[in-house]
């Protein structure tokens, strides 16, 4: 793997340590969002698929279940090992590759689909990630991005969410808006065919802390941020309490794009 920058190294350490949290039982095991994005693309068995920042492998394993020839990639080796074991337990053969999303070790135009779910907010360079995605996709190939977002024009709420996420998990980098992702895709020859923002429940602040092993001092500061959240964030993320648990609804972007054919 090429040399990592500070943000990439922080993510590698964080997810290497916490890999056991992202498999069975994690909320990302529910792949309704993945199905909704991928099923309309009518993928054919044998198509070559790359799942970037695969984590527990939930998205890549779904691609394998459709008969795709799947490569699972991640920056953290323990994640790759667990994702490969999860695929193996279900009877799917997948390849694994250890690399950063911003620097991919593949030839030009060698994948029919690239997916990346709930990870790009950790990337140190979304620009490099999109440029690499466009490079490794074959003409006509699909790109499916699913990630937390904040709708365009909500600067105060975005800054609040940024502070909260950074305290909860210092390897968090930045949430991009649908408009920012769309512009990046367009400038790299990826034609955006669909963007949709849907609410995604954060069901329990305590669970959210434990998943990231958030330091105790940061947990206190996150609780303060929530208690003092501006109205814009309170409304946008529907901050609330259910059965004694602090809950909210992140905004989740699904973006589908297709690489230009000429
Ligand atoms: C929340 S998990 C991803 C979940 C997974 N994609 C799914 O569908 O369930 C985030 C993953 O991003 C990986 N990651 C973070 N920064 C990365 C980077 N710059 N390049 C590659 N992987 C990265 C982490 O190691 C971690 O496995």
């Amino acid at each position: 793997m090429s040399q990592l920058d500070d943000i990439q190294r922080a993510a590698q350490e964080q997810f290497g340590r916490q890999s056991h949290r992202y498999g069975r039982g994690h909320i990302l095991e529910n792949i309704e969002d993945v199905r909704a994005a991928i099923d309309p693309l009518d993928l054919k068995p044998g198509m070559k698929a790359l799942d970037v920042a695969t984590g527990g492998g939930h998205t890549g394993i779904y691609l394998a279940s459709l008969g795709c020839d799947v490569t699972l990639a991640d920056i953290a080796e323990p994640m790759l090992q667990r994702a490969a074991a999860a695929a193996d337990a279900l009877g799917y053969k997948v390849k694994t590759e250890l690399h950063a999303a911003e620097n991919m070790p593949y030839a030009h135009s060698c994948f029919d689909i690239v997916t990346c779910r709930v990870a790009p907010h950790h990337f140190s360079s979304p620009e490099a990630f999109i440029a690499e995605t466009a490079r490794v996709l074959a003409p006509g190939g699909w790109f499916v991005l699913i990630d937390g977002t904040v709708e365009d024009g909500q600067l105060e709420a975005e800054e609040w969410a940024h502070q909260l996420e950074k305290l909860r998990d210092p390897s968090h980098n930045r949430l991009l808006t649908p408009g920012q992702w769309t512009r990046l895709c367009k400038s790299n020859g990826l034609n955006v065919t669909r963007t949709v923002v849907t609410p995604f429940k954060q069901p329990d602040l305590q669970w959210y802390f434990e998943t990231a092993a958030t330091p105790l001092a940061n947990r206190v500061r996150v609780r303060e941020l929530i208690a003092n959240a501006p109205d814009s964030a309170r409304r946008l993320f529907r901050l609330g309490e259910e059965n004694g648990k602090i809950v909210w609804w992140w905004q989740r972007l699904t973006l589908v794009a297709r690489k230009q054919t000429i």
Side-chain angles (χ1 to χ4, degrees), residues 4-5 7-8 11-12 14-16 22 26 28-29 31 33-34 51-60 73-77 79-80 99-103 116-125 146 171:
L4 302 183
D5 61 35
I7 295 170
Q8 292 168 328
Q12 185 184 55
Q14 171 73 7
F15 287 98
Y22 285 82
H26 193 280
L28 293 176
E29 199 180 6
I31 55 157
D33 55 331
V34 175
D51 185 34
V52 176
T54 196
H58 305 297
T59 308
D74 204 280
I75 204 167
E77 179 66 37
M79 278 295 194
L80 280 181
H99 65 80
E102 298 88 342
N103 193 353
C116 189
R117 174 184 185 232
V118 193
H121 57 275
H122 292 284
F123 298 169
S124 58
S125 173
I146 300 176
S171 75

Side-chain angles (χ1 to χ4, degrees), residues 124-187:
S124 58
S125 173
E127 295 80 5
F129 160 57
I130 295 296
E132 281 292 79
T133 296
R135 183 183 68 75
V136 303
L137 268 177
W142 293 104
F143 172 47
V144 174
L145 174 140
I146 300 176
D147 199 20
T149 193
V150 178
E151 64 194 48
D152 288 278
Q154 293 276 357
L155 296 184
E156 185 182 54
E158 195 275 332
E159 186 51 35
W160 178 86
H162 175 68
Q163 285 180 31
L164 185 150
E165 283 291 16
K166 197 85 194 153
L167 284 167
R168 179 229 166 210
D169 172 0
S171 75
H172 173 87
N173 191 28
R174 200 88 218 187
L175 296 167
L176 267 62
T177 68
Q180 287 171 322
W181 282 119
T182 300
R183 282 190 289 282
L184 273 181
C185 286
K186 278 188 183 155
S187 60

